[in-house]
Amino acid sequence: MKYDRSSGILLHPTSLPGPYGIGDIGLQAHQWVDFLADSGCRLWQVLPLGPTGYGDSPYQCFSAFAGNPYIISPDELLKEKLLHTNDIIERPEISNVKIDYGKIIPWKNGVLDRAFIQFERLSASQIKQDYSQFLKRNHQWLDDFALFMALKEKHAGAPWVSWDEAIRKREPAALDAARLELETAIERQNFRQFIFYRQWNNLREHAQEKNIKIIGDMPIFVAHDSADVWANPELFHLDSNGFPTVVAGVPPDYFSPTGQLWGNPLYIWDHHKAEQYRWWVKRFRSVLELVDIVRLDHFRGFAGYWQIPAEAPTAETGLWVPGPGKQFLSTIQQALGDLPIIAEDLGVITPDVIELREHFQLPGMKILQFAFSGDPNEPFLPHNFPRNCVVYTGTHDNDTARGWYERVSDEERGFYRRYLNCDGHDVSWDLIRASWASVAMFAIAPIQDLLNLDNSARMNYPGNPSGNWTWRMAENAINKELLNHLHDVNHLYGRL
């Protein structure tokens, strides 16, 4: 797709400030959209918006279709008279600097349960009609997801492979009995999804009014403990008990001597192909109801992916297997028209990956932090960019710009100073200006770089099983001075 030269900021809703221990999609999110618009930015990039599971990672969700109930705004529920102020007076002791998921999740679930009770008491009203329409429109994924979550609740959060065999294997009589037994719990899950989509759509309409496009994120793989795998076992490499036989990851490289063992089940691509990629078409349609553009995570996996035996202790043991390639993306294109996709083409990139991306004219990613090894032919240096790319100062998986400068070698710091003709005292904005000045179609910086923060504000350390995804922006971080500074850079480099 063709887009105007634009800029934007990467900020996940959980990182927004606010009084409830976790950022949400209420007032602060609407004010964030206003800030972007007033600064001359036209893009807001978020991480996956699904319901987080193990490790609180947005890349390990209980569903590829559902929304995250933990970012529902209590204030918006108050406005709709689904909560009373008394419902949110008692809160756990929480930090507004870091998210304490162990405290926030049970409190937020309690708030949502009280809102559901109030919703059930309502007589016939517009919101009830909207709810009925939502259930009809989304039943293809919502029925399985709501039952899955109700069953997880019944089993104290245990993964689905540990459930009774009849439920695990989805025997019709067992499913019917579960739906009857867990009717109220299922309705609670339906209600949470209805409210999430209602609030998100309201926010997205506000963004559209402000001419802000939202860039979403679609992980290539789904979590094993998810409604997707439980409801569609035939689409994944599983044994007779539902355990993966092979799993996803990446092989050893310079950064990781044993590779990265992600553990997600791998797709049986021949089965997807036989069904004309029906599940994937539904998945793309679903995410494009929430966002305008999709960053397709681990794009190289569609050309070829690293297949690891499920019993392997590390990602060292594995082999490259061809992905679904052109036929897959052609099928998506035929179903949806233009592909508003950014290809996350980082890592071990082989000619087949480049050929696949270029065949569909998808913009790839350039990470400025990777540019300063000392080689003038380095493809991450701005003078080597094609126009059809998206440049980032860094991503959620990298150091902040300041953290990068403090960590790397003297040689790398020296090359950066020589290349950008600077002294290193303002590294975050040096990288922002270099990104914005480049020919790249889109230029994006994480909010941490806009605020010139060090690695204490880093969002994720890949490979660390806990302690990630907790950073939150300070209440007073966004101000007029910052807005004017960003607007000036947008003006200087023709990105208004």
Side-chain angles (χ1 to χ4, degrees):
M1 291 187 73
K2 300 293 183 187
Y3 291 105
D4 293 333
R5 181 175 171 84
S6 310
S7 67
I9 303 298
L10 168 59
L11 168 67
H12 197 50
T14 57
S15 294
L16 287 163
Y20 300 112
I22 186 171
D24 62 46
I25 52 180
L27 176 63
Q28 298 276 5
H30 286 256
Q31 291 176 340
W32 168 247
V33 166
D34 293 340
F35 171 85
L36 286 174
D38 292 344
S39 71
C41 289
R42 290 291 170 263
L43 303 167
W44 174 19
Q45 183 163 339
V46 299
L47 304 179
L49 293 165
T52 51
Y54 174 73
D56 308 302
S57 170
Y59 294 88
Q60 295 285 349
C61 291
F62 291 131
S63 169
F65 296 84
N68 185 355
Y70 308 139
I71 61 173
I72 288 173
S73 165
D75 289 334
E76 295 299 309
L77 292 171
L78 283 168
K79 279 187 199 172
E80 296 222 61
K81 296 188 169 42
L82 292 172
L83 286 179
H84 187 274
T85 50
N86 291 342
D87 292 324
I88 55 174
I89 286 174
E90 290 188 18
R91 296 178 213 162
E93 287 187 17
I94 48 177
S95 162
N96 284 323
V97 179
K98 296 278 185 182
I99 302 165
D100 185 338
Y101 287 99
K103 290 180 178 177
I104 287 302
I105 289 173
W107 180 80
K108 201 68 173 274
N109 284 340
V111 168
L112 295 173
D113 288 348
R114 289 191 286 278
F116 172 66
I117 291 168
Q118 179 59 24
F119 175 77
E120 284 210 304
R121 289 176 181 154
L122 295 176
S123 55
S125 62
Q126 185 61 52
I127 194 171
K128 286 275 182 140
Q129 291 175 32
D130 294 345
Y131 177 67
S132 296
Q133 290 171 4
F134 175 81
L135 297 184
K136 287 176 190 172
R137 199 165 55 245
N138 295 282
H139 73 91
Q140 286 187 320
W141 64 266
L142 185 57
D143 291 355
D144 283 322
F145 171 74
L147 176 57
F148 174 83
M149 293 303 291
L151 284 162
K152 275 192 79 66
E153 196 176 272
K154 178 187 175 183
H155 291 90
W160 67 267
V161 285
S162 68
W163 300 348
D164 295 341
E165 184 178 11
I167 285 289
R168 194 173 70 236
K169 297 191 173 180
R170 295 177 58 83
E171 292 176 8
L175 294 183
D176 287 343
R179 289 188 190 101
L180 199 61
E181 177 196 352
L182 303 173
E183 183 178 5
T184 301
I186 289 168
E187 281 300 310
R188 275 203 307 269
Q189 295 296 333
N190 286 336
F191 170 75
R192 290 180 188 181
Q193 289 306 304
F194 166 66
I195 292 297
F196 169 86
Y197 271 81
R198 187 178 181 84
Q199 290 190 3
W200 181 264
N201 288 336
N202 188 26
L203 177 59
R204 190 178 177 202
E205 284 174 14
H206 182 62
Q208 288 168 339
E209 288 167 4
K210 294 288 185 174
N211 198 24
I212 300 292
K213 284 185 164 56
I214 299 176
I215 302 175
D217 195 318
M218 183 190 288
I220 180 174
F221 300 116
V222 297
H224 175 240
D225 189 24
S226 66
D228 310 294
V229 179
W230 174 67
N232 306 280
E234 71 284 357
L235 299 180
F236 302 88
H237 285 283
L238 307 175
D239 65 19
S240 59
N241 291 315
F243 290 93
T245 55
V246 287
V247 295
V250 289
D253 59 20
Y254 174 80
F255 298 102
S256 177
T258 60
Q260 293 181 40
L261 182 62
W262 298 334
N264 306 74
L266 293 173
Y267 300 106
I268 302 176
W269 282 114
D270 285 345
H271 196 109
H272 286 267
K273 180 180 175 182
E275 293 188 347
Q276 297 178 310
Y277 303 104
R278 187 172 63 218
W279 181 84
W280 277 96
V281 170
K282 284 191 267 188
R283 189 179 177 195
F284 268 96
R285 278 211 177 101
S286 176
V287 75
L288 287 170
E289 285 183 9
L290 296 173
V291 301
D292 303 288
I293 302 166
V294 179
R295 171 191 178 271
L296 195 50
D297 190 46
H298 198 58
F299 179 80
R300 74 106 49 249
F302 294 101
Y305 55 92
W306 189 244
Q307 178 176 289
I308 306 162
E311 66 277 6
T314 73
E316 294 168 279
T317 309
L319 71 157
W320 286 107
V321 178
K326 289 180 185 173
Q327 188 188 49
F328 166 74
L329 285 171
S330 293
T331 303
I332 303 299
Q333 193 172 49
Q334 287 164 16
L336 302 177
D338 283 332
L339 295 176
I341 289 172
I342 296 167
E344 189 271 288
D345 55 348
L346 307 173
V348 181
I349 302 304
T350 46
D352 56 335
V353 182
I354 297 169
E355 201 274 328
L356 180 64
R357 190 198 71 223
E358 290 183 347
H359 179 82
F360 292 94
Q361 299 182 322
L362 303 178
M365 288 175 57
K366 304 294 181 186
I367 310 301
L368 208 52
Q369 283 183 27
F370 298 169
F372 304 106
S373 63
D375 180 1
N377 297 313
E378 169 60 63
F380 292 110
L381 284 170
H383 69 266
N384 294 319
F385 289 177
R387 182 189 177 278
N388 190 33
C389 73
V390 182
V391 59
Y392 293 80
T393 57
T395 74
H396 60 281
D397 282 335
N398 305 132
D399 296 314
T400 65
R402 254 183 72 190
W404 163 80
Y405 187 73
E406 290 165 0
R407 179 186 58 80
V408 296
S409 66
D410 288 341
E411 290 76 16
E412 201 166 336
R413 282 196 292 264
F415 190 84
Y416 139 78
R417 291 194 299 266
R418 285 167 57 212
Y419 185 85
L420 295 181
N421 191 27
C422 61
D423 62 9
H425 85 280
D426 194 15
V427 60
S428 298
W429 279 87
D430 288 340
L431 295 190
I432 288 171
R433 280 189 292 270
S435 302
W436 264 238
S438 75
V439 297
M441 175 182 73
F442 293 164
I444 296 173
I447 183 65
Q448 289 89 337
D449 290 350
L450 198 70
L451 300 175
N452 190 29
L453 300 176
D454 63 20
N455 267 352
S456 63
R458 186 167 163 167
M459 195 67 168
N460 181 45
Y461 284 86
N464 280 16
S466 61
N468 296 315
W469 320 110
T470 63
W471 179 80
R472 293 187 72 200
M473 182 165 62
E475 190 76 42
N476 59 354
I478 299 301
N479 54 45
K480 189 71 173 174
E481 183 183 0
L482 184 67
L483 186 152
N484 290 338
H485 193 179
L486 184 54
H487 189 280
D488 189 50
V489 173
N490 277 321
H491 171 70
L492 283 173
Y493 299 118
R495 293 191 182 273
L496 282 177

